Amino acid sequence: MKSIGELERIRREAMTGIGPRVARTRVTFVVHMGTDGLAAGARDVMMAILDELRRQGLTDCLVTQTDVTGLHAKPPVVDLLIPGHASLTYTRVTPEDARRIVVRHLVAARAAVGQ
Amino acid sequence: MNSFYRAHVLVCAGAGCVSSGCKAVEQALWAEVSQQGLDEEVKVIQTGCVGSCDQGPVVVVYPEGTFYRKVRPEDVPEIVEEHLLKGRPVERLLYKDESSELVVSLEDIGFFKRQRKIVLRNCGVINPEDITEYIARDGYEALGRVLTEMAPEDVIDIVKRSGLRGRGGAGFPTGVKWGFTAKATGSPKYVVCNADEGDPGAFMDRSVLEGDPHSVIEAMAIAGYAVGSNQGYIYVRAEYPLAIERLSIAIKQAREYGLLGKNIFSTGFDFDLEIRMGAGAFVCGEETALIASIEGRRGMPHPKPPFPANEGLWGKPTLINNVETYANIPPIILNGPEWFAGIGTEKSKGTKVFALAGKINNTGLVEVPMGTTLREIIYEVGGGIPGGRKFKAAQTGGPSGGCIPAEHLDVPMEYDSLVKLGAMMGSGGLIVMDDHTCMVDMARFFLQFTQDESCGKCTPCREGTKVMLDILTRITEGKGQEGDIELLEDLGKTIKNTALCGLGQTAPNPVLSTIRYFRNEYEAHIRERRCPAGVCQALFKYEIVQDKCRRCGLCQKACPAGAIEESVEELDLIGEEPAMAGAAEAGAGVRAGVATAVATRSKRKPLVINQDKCLKCGVCMRECRFQAIARV
């Protein structure tokens, strides 16, 4: 260990490794994984979200699942929970949509999230 | 490089959970996760003690913090399939609180909700065998700051201002101790960690070493810088193999990362650590005996002064602190002494870890701010006494401490208030007793322990505790004499005043404190030859109440000693009055009770307990469905 800077670099890298255990989340993606969701391809949607988060190097997000789907929602359904904001619900999400959602909410509109 | 996982599955791997079979659960999780093809998104991690030992093996799923208890390997497929794949928590494995409500998240469980974790901040959160996880939780940042921004005296000043006091039991101000060692002349100086945790029922030090070993390593390096030492020793008892293993791994990783060794943070400061194993003598937790043991001599204390701060290991200035004391240091450096001094009470700052044991619903480790009342710890964190029984007393501070009776349930748990009550903080063991505990027997148990562990160097402890133990044993055997209580008090005070080290000076405490609060129990044993709690076997016997007995033979089957025999002669039955017998003959509306017993009694001969064979185990009393066996 040569310097505080080196320690800080290791710490930032290591944060990814413990992210889900220490809540400091900007956005939580809730993927509906009920039977209807699974049948409609919700797993592929979730994998797309995970992959996009990795590609963008976003570690302050959580991806969780639920088995409850609203009565009228068309699967696959993804909810976005943004602390301090009303939650958003996307329906009939494809994996491509999922990637777009990640980019729109977290990359392009980083500043807009706070509005 | 770490990749991003959406879920972390933590398996508690403290020694307690290891013994309840967590390794098999962890392996099952790995296998099932990869079979379901979830390797890319779910990470399985072994972690340190979560604290709720009676619930083990414990599995916690993040980010939700879902708390699964008593998980068996065969439960694993269901957890993976339902929870990790479909997002539905497995209800039957969730924790139920007192109102039988299912609790999904760890944060909502009373046992955890009431706690404030500083010492145990990383236990049950990180993998203790991965240094990067410790670094991710701001690990080694305190060491970096100290080495690059502070002078040694600044560090000591911070520790002084934080108000931290030794967590090994005596409560000596830590900063003052550091100051003594820093001022002492002599070179080289040494830094020692006392991890010879010996109090029966205390395991906070073990849990820190098993769950967060780097916090101790970092703190010792900080202490080394503050007092001017380049070499540290961690003295761990050999009975903690898992702690030793994880500590060794942690030291190795710290060396690889250049956090131990030469020129740390390019500041020219060198510090290294070695582990020394204790051979399991309780007295080696006493600092001068510990030093003798590290030097390779027989673990015996020597009189103080000289204090270790001036003449310790190999005659050189030595700083000795306990594991829990060290674990507080990095957060104090990072958050500032004012932050720490803002927690707790006027004279006892910060938090204290207690090991809850005995007659309490939630056994395990809890960390609460100093000054939390005993009542809060027992009823709100500990979930109260099993079976709704009555709280009688709590033994604090292990064999060196004393008991706190029910009338003092609202005592704030801090160093000085406990000493006022004749108890002490000690290392934080907290053994809860209900009305089925005999205080004389309890005092005898602890004295037996200290008597066994007395090193024999000084007469008061070697001979005095032996005489006290003999008297106590006599009392519990129903051979107590008038004057025994006064003699015990007299001996106890003399030993306290004249013994050489802390072991002897505190050994009489359990006896003196039970006499202080439960003198009537001693008197009952001595004058009435009676044990009010029904524990001392010489003072009661089991008998069969003939007019309740239906001669069904259950007790006879259950008795391990074959002590229940058929009587040769028909006994006179007290309950058989003509009216009763008449009712039985008529057979009209007969209810349970004497009459029924007589009427429905099998044709066997009466059963009696042969007192010569009886082991007084009480199995017959538990087995009997008619309350026909009495303890008299």
Side-chain angles (χ1 to χ4, degrees):
Chain A
M1 197 61 62
K2 297 279 173 285
S3 65
I4 297 274
E6 189 188 346
L7 183 74
E8 182 56 26
R9 186 178 53 75
I10 296 170
R11 191 180 70 79
R12 270 202 307 273
E13 282 173 7
M15 272 313 292
T16 336
I18 65 166
R21 282 174 263 167
V22 282
R24 271 198 302 192
T25 33
R26 208 141 54 98
V27 175
T28 304
F29 295 85
V30 183
V31 185
H32 291 240
M33 284 279 187
T35 314
D36 54 346
L38 283 168
R43 269 200 67 76
D44 294 340
V45 170
M46 187 177 70
M47 297 314 278
I49 294 174
L50 284 170
D51 185 58
E52 194 60 32
L53 287 172
R54 277 179 206 144
R55 270 174 17 119
Q56 304 285 355
L58 297 160
T59 60
D60 52 357
C61 300
L62 293 179
V63 182
T64 68
Q65 315 178 105
T66 175
D67 65 332
V68 188
T69 301
L71 275 177
H72 306 294
K74 304 277 189 297
V77 177
V78 178
D79 291 335
L80 259 64
L81 310 179
I82 306 167
H85 292 263
S87 65
L88 290 159
T89 302
Y90 289 94
T91 57
R92 292 191 196 165
V93 183
T94 65
E96 294 68 47
D97 294 337
R99 288 178 193 278
R100 268 200 296 277
I101 292 169
V102 171
V103 172
R104 180 171 307 169
H105 278 277
L106 291 158
V107 185
R110 243 168 228 209
V113 170
Q115 290 174 356
Chain B
M1 191 54 244
N2 283 316
S3 75
F4 182 81
Y5 293 90
R6 68 176 169 83
H8 285 190
V9 184
L10 272 66
V11 186
C12 171
C17 280
V18 168
S19 59
S20 65
C22 71
K23 278 279 169 248
V25 172
E26 191 192 335
Q27 277 153 4
L29 274 164
W30 279 113
E32 194 64 26
V33 162
S34 79
Q35 195 180 340
Q36 295 277 6
L38 300 171
D39 308 276
E40 289 294 303
E41 45 192 296
V42 176
K43 189 173 173 187
V44 181
I45 302 137
Q46 65 155 13
T47 178
C49 182
V50 184
S52 51
C53 303
D54 58 327
Q55 304 287 345
V58 169
V59 173
V60 185
V61 182
Y62 283 96
E64 304 92 332
T66 314
F67 180 84
Y68 290 122
R69 44 184 277 283
K70 296 189 179 172
V71 180
R72 297 188 315 275
E74 50 269 33
D75 298 326
V76 167
E78 191 180 352
I79 294 178
V80 175
E81 168 92 13
E82 286 294 306
H83 187 150
L84 297 175
L85 199 62
K86 297 179 188 162
R88 286 192 288 240
V90 181
E91 286 197 0
R92 66 181 179 83
L93 296 170
L94 290 175
Y95 177 85
K96 283 192 185 62
D97 65 6
E98 295 77 42
S99 57
S100 302
E101 290 277 313
L102 284 177
V103 187
V104 177
S105 173
L106 182 137
E107 288 162 3
D108 299 331
I109 296 172
F111 178 79
F112 296 107
K113 210 167 24 184
R114 305 274 321 173
Q115 297 189 49
R116 170 148 193 188
K117 300 207 167 189
I118 297 174
V119 172
L120 302 174
R121 59 194 178 277
N122 292 329
C123 286
V125 180
I126 64 169
N127 176 355
E129 294 179 12
D130 181 350
I131 190 172
T132 63
E133 295 211 344
Y134 179 69
I135 292 174
R137 302 272 288 166
D138 302 331
Y140 289 106
E141 196 183 320
L143 177 62
R145 263 198 232 173
V146 162
L147 295 185
T148 55
E149 299 168 15
M150 296 181 201
E153 48 272 22
D154 300 340
V155 182
I156 293 173
D157 185 55
I158 287 176
V159 178
K160 273 185 188 162
R161 282 192 291 139
S162 74
L164 177 65
R165 294 170 67 177
R167 298 291 192 249
F172 191 80
T174 307
V176 175
K177 206 184 224 184
W178 288 28
F180 287 156
T181 319
K183 272 209 280 293
T185 48
S187 176
K189 293 180 181 177
Y190 297 104
V191 172
V192 174
C193 173
N194 182 348
D196 190 61
E197 184 170 53
D199 284 3
F203 52 97
M204 52 287 293
D205 295 354
R206 189 192 75 202
S207 295
V208 170
L209 294 175
E210 285 174 359
D212 194 17
H214 287 285
S215 66
V216 176
I217 295 171
E218 180 181 9
M220 287 181 76
I222 292 169
Y225 176 73
V227 303
S229 161
N230 307 110
Q231 178 63 46
Y233 293 95
I234 305 180
Y235 186 86
V236 195
R237 47 188 310 193
E239 296 95 328
Y240 284 178
L242 189 62
I244 292 167
E245 184 194 336
R246 295 213 174 125
L247 204 47
S248 311
I249 293 170
I251 290 175
K252 192 165 144 282
Q253 289 179 340
R255 282 183 190 143
E256 281 164 11
Y257 275 71
L259 292 159
L260 282 178
K262 297 262 178 263
N263 199 14
I264 303 169
F265 284 106
S266 317
T267 55
F269 174 65
D270 306 337
F271 190 77
D272 210 343
L273 275 180
E274 284 179 32
I275 299 174
R276 286 287 182 273
M277 274 184 252
F282 181 65
V283 75
C284 288
E286 199 280 339
E287 54 187 13
T288 58
L290 184 149
I291 286 170
S293 179
I294 293 184
E295 291 173 357
R297 293 184 290 123
R298 182 173 165 186
M300 282 178 140
H302 71 68
K304 293 185 273 194
F307 286 95
N310 297 312
E311 282 183 45
L313 207 48
W314 295 293
K316 303 295 181 194
T318 303
L319 171 73
I320 303 186
N321 285 130
N322 148 283
V323 173
E324 193 186 333
T325 313
Y326 280 127
N328 277 297
I329 298 287
I332 288 175
I333 303 283
L334 288 180
N335 300 310
E338 292 74 21
W339 162 82
F340 192 79
I343 305 164
T345 64
E346 190 198 343
K347 288 200 171 127
S348 302
K349 302 298 187 190
T351 58
K352 179 74 194 86
V353 183
F354 292 100
L356 294 182
K359 304 287 176 60
I360 188 152
N361 279 319
N362 307 335
T363 54
L365 275 197
V366 302
E367 183 174 359
V368 290
M370 288 273 191
T372 307
T373 65
L374 182 59
R375 186 188 301 275
E376 285 170 328
I377 294 175
I378 290 175
Y379 288 96
E380 290 176 31
V381 183
I385 320 272
R389 302 208 75 89
K390 212 165 137 291
F391 169 83
K392 183 173 188 174
Q395 175 79 13
T396 66
S400 316
C403 65
I404 301 173
E407 64 257 32
H408 292 299
L409 255 176
D410 289 310
V411 63
M413 299 294 275
E414 52 176 0
Y415 292 102
D416 309 292
S417 59
L418 291 184
V419 170
K420 274 200 201 82
L421 292 180
M424 67 187 259
M425 181 72 80
S427 59
L430 195 63
I431 298 169
V432 181
M433 293 167 274
D434 65 7
D435 48 10
H436 276 210
T437 313
C438 168
M439 302 314 276
V440 185
D441 183 63
M442 199 267 315
R444 195 186 62 90
F445 167 82
F446 281 121
L447 198 67
Q448 172 92 57
F449 177 84
T450 34
Q451 161 65 44
D452 277 349
E453 293 290 350
S454 171
C455 77
K457 185 171 180 175
C458 72
T459 314
C461 176
R462 185 184 64 238
E463 305 293 335
T465 54
K466 184 84 182 75
V467 175
M468 283 182 82
L469 183 62
D470 289 346
I471 297 170
L472 280 172
T473 309
R474 222 180 49 224
I475 294 174
T476 56
E477 286 172 352
K479 299 173 191 150
Q481 302 158 5
E482 208 51 56
D484 276 350
I485 302 178
E486 292 71 20
L487 184 55
L488 281 172
E489 284 177 319
D490 199 29
L491 278 165
K493 285 181 189 133
T494 309
I495 296 169
K496 274 177 86 87
N497 290 332
T498 54
L500 170 59
C501 83
L503 188 153
Q505 288 158 11
T506 58
N509 282 354
V511 185
L512 295 176
S513 107
T514 47
I515 291 177
R516 175 172 169 183
Y517 294 114
F518 297 95
R519 199 180 186 104
N520 55 346
E521 283 198 30
Y522 280 83
E523 287 167 351
H525 280 75
I526 295 168
R527 292 177 190 162
E528 303 165 38
R529 303 275 182 255
R530 186 173 64 85
C531 174
V535 172
C536 298
Q537 295 193 342
L539 301 180
F540 64 82
K541 58 182 183 187
Y542 289 100
E543 278 186 352
I544 294 178
V545 184
Q546 291 300 339
D547 46 11
K548 283 189 184 168
C549 173
R550 299 194 187 188
R551 305 182 191 172
C552 68
L554 256 186
C555 57
Q556 212 175 358
K557 269 205 195 70
C559 178
I564 298 177
E565 300 165 350
E566 292 190 7
S567 162
V568 276
E569 67 235 50
E570 190 65 39
L571 299 169
D572 287 340
L573 297 180
I574 312 153
E576 272 196 301
E577 287 160 13
M580 289 288 192
E585 277 166 14
V590 182
R591 292 232 165 75
V594 175
T596 336
V598 175
T600 60
R601 183 176 284 150
S602 68
K603 296 286 176 280
R604 304 169 61 178
K605 289 205 161 48
L607 295 171
V608 288
I609 297 178
N610 179 337
Q611 297 299 340
D612 297 338
K613 287 189 185 171
C614 173
L615 303 171
K616 302 189 176 168
C617 66
V619 163
C620 54
M621 195 168 171
R622 278 202 298 278
E623 286 294 322
C624 180
R625 297 176 192 181
F626 309 106
Q627 282 87 48
I629 294 182
R631 199 157 44 189
V632 290

